[in-house]
Amino acid sequence: MKHTTNTRVVENIATPPSGVLWNSRFISLAAAIFLAFVNVAAFFQFYQYLGTLTIDPKWFGMLIGLFSAMSLILRPVISPFLHARNALRWILICNAGVMVCLAAYGQAGNLWSMFLVRALHGASHVGLATALMTVIISLIPRDKSGQSFGLLSIVTLLPYAVIPPMLPLLTTWLGGYGNVLVFFAVVMILVFPLVLMGVPEPRESADPADEQRLFFREILESLKDAKIIVLFSVMLFFFSSYALVFYFLAEFGRTIQVAGAGLFFTLSSLSEIGVRLVAGSLFDKGEKIRLALWSLVAIALGYGLLGYVQGSLSLFALGVFLGLGWGVAMPILNALVFDLSRPRLRAFNVNLGLQMYQGGFFLGPFVGGLILLHQGFRVLFTVCAGFTLFSVALLLYLKTKK
């Protein structure tokens, strides 16, 4: 065998252990994914930071959204070209790009320099995240897809619970927000050893076809698969309703005179993490579509009640309730995409599922802003419930086609 060291590493990463989830490769790659999202959560104070620069505030929204826009544009383009043989190379390249961009924010003091840094950071991050997901998906045993995506969703959620409260203290200690981003650039060095850790002795991949890029014909076949398209539609409407709550809840809290409405998402995040830790192993025991249906019905009920809450106790109680529903629905929907995809298309389709998240975070606020111009929060949350019930109807259709 004449393979390079890097090729051997990737071949080993690409060879999934039969029925085993917890192993050194999965844990190290999950840790790398955690760090990839840490560098996103570090921008919780980005809006306030932009206010300290000589940039017109009318561009703040564009600069913030540019990061996600790069994901929407690039992920569908790069996903077909990433596979087990080349993913490691792109992880290393894109992580280096992320580090350079994080360090460069402090040097970007005007609109165009910040636009360039923000766009390059978004491009580097989507390359890093997509390549990491491509590799770790090859390690997921088919009979543990629900548990696997439950754990991965905890990994991607934890940075948003841990990093924002740390930022004020880090800003004081390090002498400014720009230096905080340099600190996180240094932290990202840990990604390099993590993706190389825990690799056993080289051996041939069980399926060499999995180490080739997808062909255009395969992509078209996947996009013609009615089950996958229905699932993507379910996810788009689900994440649109979630984004409506995420972006407008703080203002809703002010209208009902609840101080500290942000605690809603703290409690919901804890609920999400809790249900995935406690019940994650059960996600693969029953029928996933039925589990998704019941969780979405419960979420729709929570949205419907949200417009009628009057005080902090009921608002925070709904945060816990919705967190339990979100904690089940999100990983189950990703697991369904994994289960219903052909092996060579799993990474591509799961990465396209992430596009539905980004699409929902564009569509939801767009629709919500128009609703609040002419209606109130009760109508807004009713629309959230309607979007979710439409997802339920789509899942019922999918259930009849299985």
Side-chain angles (χ1 to χ4, degrees):
M1 289 193 304
K2 295 183 179 179
H3 296 298
T4 65
T5 301
N6 280 354
T7 300
R8 288 182 188 137
V9 168
V10 181
E11 284 174 348
N12 281 288
I13 291 176
T15 308
S18 178
V20 177
L21 178 60
W22 287 108
N23 59 84
S24 59
R25 291 174 289 169
F26 185 90
I27 293 170
S28 62
L29 285 167
I33 290 173
F34 172 81
L35 289 176
F37 281 87
V38 161
N39 96 84
V40 179
F43 285 83
F44 183 75
Q45 291 184 342
F46 189 52
Y47 184 89
Q48 292 93 322
Y49 175 67
L50 289 174
T52 67
L53 305 177
T54 57
I55 299 175
D56 191 322
K58 70 181 181 182
W59 298 110
F60 289 2
M62 182 271 290
L63 290 171
I64 293 170
L66 182 60
F67 187 90
S68 293
M70 296 306 295
S71 177
L72 282 170
I73 294 167
L74 292 177
R75 184 176 275 113
V77 176
I78 65 176
S79 292
F81 297 96
L82 289 168
H83 51 77
R85 187 179 292 276
N86 69 5
L88 180 63
R89 180 192 317 145
W90 287 105
I91 290 171
L92 301 179
I93 292 171
C94 291
N95 189 58
V98 165
M99 292 171 61
V100 170
C101 291
L102 285 170
Y105 274 96
Q107 308 303 315
N110 57 53
L111 174 63
W112 291 111
S113 60
M114 183 61 74
F115 181 95
L116 178 62
V117 171
R118 191 72 173 155
L120 290 174
H121 185 203
S124 299
H125 173 76
V126 71
L128 173 64
T130 306
L132 281 168
M133 193 62 69
T134 297
V135 177
I136 205 165
I137 284 170
S138 69
L139 300 178
I140 296 176
R142 183 176 174 82
D143 61 344
K144 289 185 171 62
S145 61
Q147 183 182 6
S148 301
F149 283 103
L151 292 171
L152 287 177
S153 58
I154 292 173
V155 167
T156 59
L157 180 65
L158 270 177
Y160 298 98
V162 173
I163 300 302
M166 295 172 56
L167 290 176
L169 190 59
L170 285 174
T171 302
T172 301
W173 281 357
L174 299 173
Y177 184 70
N179 292 335
V180 171
L181 296 181
V182 173
F183 167 77
F184 282 110
V186 175
V187 170
M188 292 300 290
I189 292 174
L190 295 173
V191 170
F192 295 124
L194 282 171
V195 297
L196 298 171
M197 283 176 61
V199 180
E201 288 300 315
R203 59 179 179 173
E204 288 292 337
S205 171
D207 188 357
D210 289 341
E211 297 182 349
Q212 301 172 6
R213 71 174 181 84
L214 293 177
F215 296 103
F216 186 66
R217 170 181 50 80
E218 294 176 292
I219 296 171
L220 283 181
E221 288 175 1
S222 178
L223 295 178
K224 290 178 182 177
D225 188 334
K227 298 189 297 295
I228 297 298
I229 297 303
V230 169
L231 264 179
F232 285 163
S233 301
V234 169
M235 296 171 81
L236 178 63
F237 282 96
F238 170 74
F239 284 119
S240 294
S241 62
Y242 177 83
L244 280 168
V245 177
F246 182 83
Y247 280 113
F248 296 107
L249 188 86
E251 181 61 27
F252 174 65
R254 283 190 284 272
T255 64
I256 62 172
Q257 299 181 332
V258 172
L263 185 58
F264 175 97
F265 276 101
T266 301
L267 294 171
S268 67
S269 296
L270 291 173
S271 292
E272 288 184 63
I273 293 170
V275 73
R276 291 165 188 170
L277 286 176
V278 173
S281 61
L282 302 177
F283 290 171
D284 299 297
K285 302 295 184 184
E287 186 184 356
K288 290 189 179 76
I289 289 184
R290 181 177 298 175
L291 190 55
L293 280 169
W294 281 111
S295 62
L296 289 175
V297 168
I299 290 167
L301 174 63
Y303 289 153
L305 293 173
L306 197 52
Y308 293 88
V309 301
Q310 297 296 325
S312 58
L313 183 61
S314 54
L315 179 67
F316 297 149
L318 272 177
V320 174
F321 178 76
L322 284 169
L324 293 172
W326 294 332
V328 174
M330 291 182 187
I332 288 296
L333 291 175
N334 280 312
L336 281 169
V337 173
F338 178 92
D339 289 352
L340 296 179
S341 299
R342 290 196 294 112
R344 261 179 62 75
L345 290 164
R346 282 175 184 160
F348 175 73
N349 284 338
V350 171
N351 276 315
L352 280 190
L354 296 176
Q355 287 297 91
M356 299 305 106
Y357 177 89
Q358 299 290 349
F361 268 68
F362 170 78
L363 177 63
F366 179 78
V367 171
L370 294 176
I371 291 172
L372 287 181
L373 277 177
H374 306 287
Q375 304 291 335
F377 281 100
R378 190 166 292 177
V379 173
L380 181 76
F381 294 132
T382 300
V383 170
C384 289
F387 277 1
T388 309
L389 288 174
F390 186 67
S391 293
V392 169
L394 290 172
L395 274 180
L396 286 170
Y397 169 79
L398 183 63
K399 187 176 173 62
T400 65
K401 295 297 180 182
K402 282 199 70 178

